Amino acid sequence: MSGTHSDVPSVLAHELPRPVPLDELAACPVGEVFRRVGDKWSMLLMILLGHRPYRFNELHRAVEGISQRMLTRTLRGLENDGLVRREVFPTVPPGVEYSLTPLGRSLLEPLSALADWAVRHGSALGRAPEPR
Amino acid sequence: MSGTHSDVPSVLAHELPRPVPLDELAACPVGEVFRRVGDKWSMLLMILLGHRPYRFNELHRAVEGISQRMLTRTLRGLENDGLVRREVFPTVPPGVEYSLTPLGRSLLEPLSALADWAVRHGSALGRAPEPR
DNA sequence: CTGAATCCTCTAAGATACTG
DNA sequence: CAGTATCTTAGAGGATTCAG
């Protein structure tokens, strides 16, 4: 990474005058983020957890539509990414509380910019892509 | 950014105190945007097209790793979403030029916020999720 | 209550090969 | 050059069942 810090924000401002050897683009950090939280449920859970900590079944009921399997897998993924923290309370019955890490909370901010855009221009995206 | 302090700005700041009937969450605009451009190639192409118009094979070479099929499908999707414009020049041989619509360009901005975050905190996401 | 383990389905995506 | 048409595979995601 060359430290060419133009005042225009971030990677998108780089000049890409020629065919890019993928070294630049595949390493595109936006892509990485999308790969992590771009799945069906991740950011949904993150938005929920952005408000307050939730317990497992609490999340299960809140999202209602997610399977237990995917809830577990998604939470594990977010935990491995350092976005979500998992805290176990050895009570009876056992309780597990999920919350956002500072990193996760920080991700919520740029995500809100995206949400903001979606609210304003989202209607233009309304039509689904034609099947087949 | 209407960044007040402890609260998350914009849409994400909605109160979600109770089990959400999915009417709220499924309609989550962030989710919709992710569904559209959250796939493997969309934002990659959008970033490229953010710099200049490209022709089909030009894109094919630039991304190098994408199949013709996916390039076509992704471009069609972006076109249907109103993010990319397709212009045909009836020359010999035929030339087709792809470029970003104003809507597409506007999406690039919040995307840059995300890229910005990724550049700063992306390293924390470095470790891949465990392979099963 | 919080998961893990199985099984199954459906779609995204790659590889070719063929056309206007 | 700019696609379309098939075929095939890998993985995401759901339903269900079992366990600590």
Side-chain angles (χ1 to χ4, degrees):
Chain A
M1 277 312 177
S2 51
T4 42
H5 63 291
S6 42
D7 45 351
V8 197
S10 89
V11 188
L12 304 184
H14 283 157
E15 269 295 321
L16 296 177
R18 58 189 171 281
V20 180
L22 240 218
D23 290 353
E24 278 292 329
L25 275 180
C28 170
V30 203
E32 261 312 291
V33 176
F34 270 75
R35 305 272 172 78
R36 304 305 179 106
V37 297
D39 61 287
K40 197 175 181 182
W41 304 108
S42 284
M43 85 242 133
L44 221 58
L45 293 176
M46 286 199 55
I47 290 176
L48 271 176
L49 295 176
H51 297 285
R52 62 183 77 260
Y54 276 79
R55 283 181 300 105
F56 186 84
N57 274 351
E58 206 176 356
L59 281 173
H60 195 200
R61 274 185 297 272
V63 178
E64 188 175 2
I66 194 175
S67 60
Q68 283 182 348
R69 179 183 134 90
M70 286 320 292
L71 181 54
T72 303
R73 287 181 69 91
T74 304
L75 286 172
R76 288 276 179 271
L78 292 174
E79 188 191 359
N80 285 334
D81 287 340
L83 297 170
V84 160
R85 183 182 171 194
R86 179 176 178 265
E87 235 176 327
V88 184
F89 298 97
T91 58
V92 189
V96 179
E97 194 175 273
Y98 292 92
S99 57
L100 242 46
T101 64
L103 185 67
R105 231 182 318 278
S106 73
L107 177 55
L108 230 41
E109 299 180 26
L111 234 45
S112 88
L114 203 57
D116 217 48
W117 181 94
V119 169
R120 275 180 305 199
H121 312 283
S123 47
L125 290 179
R127 67 286 205 54
E130 86 293 352
R132 163 153 202 85
Chain B
M1 299 66 195
S2 48
T4 49
H5 27 295
S6 45
D7 214 347
V8 188
S10 88
V11 186
L12 305 182
H14 283 156
E15 269 296 319
L16 297 176
R18 58 189 171 282
V20 180
L22 242 214
D23 290 352
E24 279 290 331
L25 275 181
C28 169
V30 203
E32 260 313 291
V33 176
F34 269 75
R35 305 274 173 78
R36 303 305 179 107
V37 296
D39 60 288
K40 197 175 180 181
W41 304 108
S42 283
M43 85 242 132
L44 220 58
L45 293 175
M46 286 198 55
I47 289 175
L48 271 175
L49 295 175
H51 297 283
R52 63 185 74 259
Y54 275 79
R55 284 179 300 105
F56 186 85
N57 276 348
E58 206 176 357
L59 281 174
H60 195 200
R61 275 185 296 272
V63 177
E64 187 174 3
I66 195 176
S67 61
Q68 283 182 347
R69 183 184 133 90
M70 286 322 292
L71 182 54
T72 303
R73 286 183 72 91
T74 305
L75 286 171
R76 287 275 179 272
L78 293 174
E79 188 191 0
N80 285 335
D81 288 338
L83 297 170
V84 159
R85 183 182 171 195
R86 178 176 179 267
E87 236 177 326
V88 185
F89 299 97
T91 58
V92 190
V96 178
E97 194 175 273
Y98 291 94
S99 57
L100 241 46
T101 64
L103 185 68
R105 230 183 316 280
S106 73
L107 178 54
L108 231 39
E109 299 180 25
L111 235 45
S112 89
L114 202 57
D116 217 47
W117 181 93
V119 169
R120 274 180 307 199
H121 312 282
S123 46
L125 292 178
R127 68 286 205 49
E130 84 298 351
R132 173 166 193 84

